[in-house]
Amino acid sequence: MTVSADPKELLEMATRLAAEAGRILVHERPRDLGVSATKSSPTDIVTVMDQRSEKLIVEGILAARPDDGILGEEGASRQGTSGVRWVIDPIDGTVNYLYEIPMWCVSIGVEIDGQTVAGVVEAPMLGETFTALRGHGAWRNGEPITVRGEGSDGPPLPLSGALVATGFGYAAQRRAVQGKIVAELLPLVRDIRRAGSAALDLCSVACGRVDAYYERGTNAWDIAAGALIVEEAGGKVGGLRGAAASVEMTVAAAGGLYEGLCGFLEGRSADQDS
Ligand code: LIP
């Protein structure tokens, strides 16, 4: 039975598939799990479970919606004809998954005509399922979530009071530049957190677990669902100098703090590698 392109139904299907993938990632993880391949650098790893998760999700999509497009981190890529495209990170936080650190998730964003309309981030080890439906809100385990400070009519949070999440690339040269930038930011903010999963960092912004997030080098599959979850939780997501969020830079925070963090990052050309 083909699922209609109703965003609510697409979200239900994405949530079901993410949960199914989460279950095998937890219960069928080989005890001797190793690295089955590397990508952009020796530390940019893939495991057999990344591949199994993506395969399960893709097969579930195509069984219900054979005309949809797909973009997956581990190679799933097909042009669809329906206008619906699924953007999949089968394990976001792969290094955490390999090291049995709980901060990993399955992230699925669903686009209609290029705009993300539904997103799910499933974090089985945290017992958290983050979902969002464009124009209708964002939820954690079915309960509405908002960015920290959203709805208060007080002044925007200053950078000095912000708990800021970030991440680092896999290439040594980029990491050296990112290390210099975070070293300059550290004395200006409350503190820094590096969780190892962009999708979960974005969900942490959306539910107020951190105040802001930024990272250079995230891919579409890292942020597709999480960006919508932040926006529907009252936050702002974008790149620097008014650009959209992209591999160049992704910034997420509540309004006033967003501008302050972007100003700091623009002043240091944080969307460059030199
Ligand atoms: C991860 C991102 C994270 C980044 C890591 C890694 P992956 O994605 O979610 O933000 O800092 O280096 O790229 O590779 O685990 O899917």
Side-chain angles (χ1 to χ4, degrees):
M1 177 192 75
T2 298
V3 170
S4 76
D6 171 73
K8 189 172 182 304
E9 287 193 28
L10 294 172
L11 178 59
E12 287 166 357
M13 182 171 144
T15 304
R16 174 174 53 79
L17 291 170
E20 285 175 18
R23 274 192 291 277
I24 70 155
L25 291 168
V26 172
H27 299 297
E28 299 181 26
R29 183 188 191 282
R31 299 177 71 82
D32 61 348
L33 181 68
V35 175
S36 60
T38 60
K39 296 183 283 190
S40 64
S41 83
T43 54
D44 184 2
I45 62 166
V46 184
T47 73
V48 292
M49 297 309 287
D50 294 86
Q51 294 158 337
R52 277 195 64 193
S53 173
E54 186 162 293
K55 182 172 185 290
L56 179 150
I57 295 166
V58 169
E59 288 176 350
I61 292 165
L62 297 181
R65 297 186 54 85
D67 299 326
D68 287 1
I70 292 176
L71 172 65
E73 178 175 18
E74 305 315 340
S77 173
R78 71 192 304 267
Q79 287 297 323
T81 56
S82 66
V84 175
R85 184 173 79 148
W86 302 71
V87 185
I88 304 162
D89 193 336
I91 305 177
D92 190 50
T94 297
V95 172
N96 287 346
Y97 182 75
L98 179 69
Y99 279 72
E100 298 186 79
I101 297 170
M103 291 298 281
W104 59 266
C105 61
V106 177
S107 176
I108 303 176
V110 193
E111 300 171 347
I112 296 179
D113 297 332
Q115 182 184 53
T116 305
V117 295
V120 56
V121 173
E122 172 74 21
M125 301 308 289
L126 307 181
E128 294 181 329
T129 303
F130 292 90
T131 53
L133 202 53
R134 185 171 292 281
H136 295 276
W139 302 270
R140 174 175 52 186
N141 298 343
E143 294 298 320
I145 54 174
T146 60
V147 295
R148 183 176 287 271
E150 178 64 11
S152 69
D153 50 13
L157 182 69
L159 207 51
S160 58
L163 186 62
V164 181
T166 190
F168 307 111
Y170 288 113
Q173 183 202 342
R174 175 170 289 182
R175 292 168 72 84
V177 173
Q178 291 173 318
K180 290 193 177 86
I181 289 168
V182 75
E184 286 192 57
L185 182 63
L186 187 57
L188 304 178
V189 297
R190 176 191 296 271
D191 207 346
I192 293 289
R193 293 290 184 269
R194 197 297 194 240
S197 163
L200 278 177
D201 285 330
L202 288 164
C203 290
S204 291
V205 172
C207 68
R209 199 153 48 193
V210 297
D211 296 302
Y213 162 71
Y214 77 93
E215 184 166 357
R216 172 170 170 69
T218 53
N219 292 294
W221 46 75
D222 293 316
I223 66 172
L228 178 66
I229 292 166
V230 170
E231 290 172 343
E232 289 299 318
K236 192 168 178 184
V237 182
L240 299 187
R241 304 176 196 85
S246 75
V247 70
E248 302 305 324
M249 180 59 70
T250 294
V251 183
L257 177 58
Y258 176 86
E259 306 306 335
L261 182 54
C262 282
F264 167 86
L265 295 169
E266 287 162 6
R268 285 151 187 83
S269 301
D271 54 352
Q272 308 292 323
D273 279 340
S274 52

